[in-house]
Amino acid sequence: MSFYESPLFIDVLLTSIYALLALTLGLTVWSMLRTLQMRNRERLTMGIPAKRIAWGVALLLCATLALTALTADTQPLTINGHLYDSSFWLRVSDMLINTSTVLIVVAVMCVALSALGIGRLLKH
């Protein structure tokens, strides 16, 4: 029996995965409720309504997920001697990886533009 068939700490690994999943779901629900509660107020963030920022982020996420799902690669993969050929799961995993990469790049660009003060130059 090889190491890949019977890992030593599989119970610890599964327990930590379930705990992280529960923590992530809890934080997501808390964040959504807090955002909806704050969205009712008409607050300005750097002169832009907070509701407009929230809708912009949500629309960017949906558009990026749709675009990366359409362009996802579904070629079968061989990993540790096993062939993974489910086109649905290959598409989903590629979509999530590419979406996170695109959103990280967008976030870095937004931080760079903010640090350089280009947003203030465009406003005036």
Side-chain angles (χ1 to χ4, degrees), residues 47-123:
I48 302 170
K51 183 185 272 188
R52 191 175 299 172
I53 293 173
W55 277 107
V57 169
L59 290 174
L60 175 66
L61 175 65
C62 291
T64 307
L65 282 170
L67 182 66
T68 56
L70 291 174
T71 61
D73 185 21
T74 58
Q75 293 293 328
L77 297 173
T78 302
I79 301 173
N80 290 335
H82 297 297
L83 180 67
Y84 294 96
D85 59 352
S86 173
S87 63
F88 173 75
W89 288 114
L90 288 168
R91 183 175 301 277
V92 168
S93 62
D94 197 44
M95 174 189 69
L96 293 174
I97 291 168
N98 290 336
T99 297
S100 62
T101 303
V102 168
L103 293 178
I104 288 171
V105 168
V106 168
V108 168
M109 287 176 19
C110 289
V111 168
L113 290 175
S114 176
L116 294 174
I118 293 176
R120 282 177 257 146
L121 292 175
L122 296 175
K123 187 176 177 182

Side-chain angles (χ1 to χ4, degrees), residues 34-52:
R34 181 169 162 79
T35 300
L36 289 174
Q37 180 185 19
M38 292 181 71
R39 199 183 282 180
N40 292 335
R41 304 181 202 134
E42 194 62 35
R43 290 185 32 213
L44 295 178
T45 303
M46 294 185 65
I48 302 170
K51 183 185 272 188
R52 191 175 299 172

Side-chain angles (χ1 to χ4, degrees), residues 8-31:
L8 188 58
F9 294 109
I10 192 70
D11 293 331
V12 175
L13 179 65
L14 288 174
T15 304
S16 64
I17 288 173
Y18 292 141
L20 284 173
L21 179 64
L23 179 67
T24 303
L25 289 175
L27 285 173
T28 301
V29 169
W30 176 78
S31 176

